[in-house]
Amino acid sequence: MTTELCAYSVEACETARRAGVTRVELCASPYEGGTTPSAAAIRMARRIGGLQLSVMGRPRAGYCRFSDSEFLHMLSEVRCARECGADGVVFGGLTPPPDGRVDVQRTAALVAEAGPMQTTFHRAFDMACDLEEALEAAVAAGCRRILTSGGRNTAVEGIDTLRALVAQAAGRIELMAGSGVNPSNVRQLAATGVDAVHFSARSVRPGGMVFRNPHVSMGGCGDVSEYDLLCADERLIRQILTLLEP
């Protein structure tokens, strides 16, 4: 079973390597569902040996229908990831409302830009109006894999759909279960026949600042502490990996 850690820092990538994770998806902006990391972060993560590196190519948070200029931005992000030596790139885009279907033309263009890199269609897939059709569109566009929670908020909630998607894929495209994956459900999700599981194993640790200014929020989001650090919990990662051992 391939394991992928959703990593929001180079430190999290180091944690993944120590724990024995197969691959990381390097992102920025955890509270926005993941956006493209900086080129410097990609290069630093690439220096970590023994770890496959996929890079998020998402220029902003929000609905995955992108303007022409945003699409050009995505192409540039894919090119940057390739030039920085990434093994894979992650993206997703839908057609205009009201329906929202996989944008085959743009997705195929992103796949072509990726060249030899592995390509993952991210959870924009779960926002599509018809998941069976979306799977066929991802196949037609040439994607290597799909990250999905089965069209629900968490993969466990979408587990029946995950099983159906695995059967439909029939080996033509990889299925990776993600969202809410943890030690309590990872075996259940692996039993659906997916090719990989994707998890963040997030934890928060105090940043160490003694003086704290209660009148400032750097991100303008009061429910996110300015003084805590988001990190990947190595103990939790190892628990998940142990549960997946044959």
Side-chain angles (χ1 to χ4, degrees), residues 5-186:
L5 180 76
C6 186
Y8 290 99
S9 66
V10 176
E11 178 189 22
C13 295
E14 290 278 12
T15 301
R17 180 196 58 78
R18 285 196 307 271
V21 171
T22 310
R23 182 173 62 231
V24 295
E25 178 195 75
L26 182 62
C27 306
S29 307
Y31 298 109
E32 294 185 326
T35 57
T36 306
S38 70
I42 300 170
R43 292 189 187 100
M44 290 180 70
R46 179 67 290 170
R47 296 190 191 112
I48 301 170
L51 189 67
Q52 293 180 37
L53 173 64
S54 283
V55 174
M56 174 63 80
R58 184 172 178 236
R60 58 158 172 79
Y63 178 69
C64 292
R65 169 59 186 178
F66 299 102
S67 68
D68 289 345
S69 61
E70 287 172 332
F71 176 63
L72 292 175
H73 186 176
M74 292 172 73
L75 287 169
S76 181
E77 288 172 336
V78 171
R79 191 177 309 118
C80 176
R82 188 182 71 239
E83 291 170 352
C84 289
D87 299 297
V89 67
V90 183
F91 48 70
L94 303 178
T95 58
D99 290 337
R101 302 174 187 276
V102 170
D103 190 326
V104 177
Q105 183 177 358
R106 283 183 168 184
T107 303
L110 291 165
V111 169
E113 186 65 50
M117 291 191 295
Q118 298 179 23
T119 53
T120 301
F121 196 96
H122 61 49
R123 288 185 65 221
F125 176 87
D126 292 313
M127 306 300 288
C129 62
D130 184 323
L131 297 192
E132 290 184 11
E133 179 187 272
L135 186 149
E136 297 302 329
V139 171
C143 292
R144 169 73 173 266
R145 71 179 63 89
I146 297 168
L147 171 62
T148 176
S149 56
R152 300 294 294 273
N153 194 47
T154 67
V156 165
E157 292 174 86
I159 197 165
D160 291 337
T161 302
L162 285 173
R163 290 193 190 95
L165 290 170
V166 168
Q168 180 188 346
R172 295 175 298 149
I173 191 168
E174 295 177 16
L175 273 295
M176 179 164 60
S179 186
V181 177
N182 59 55
S184 71
N185 59 35
V186 69

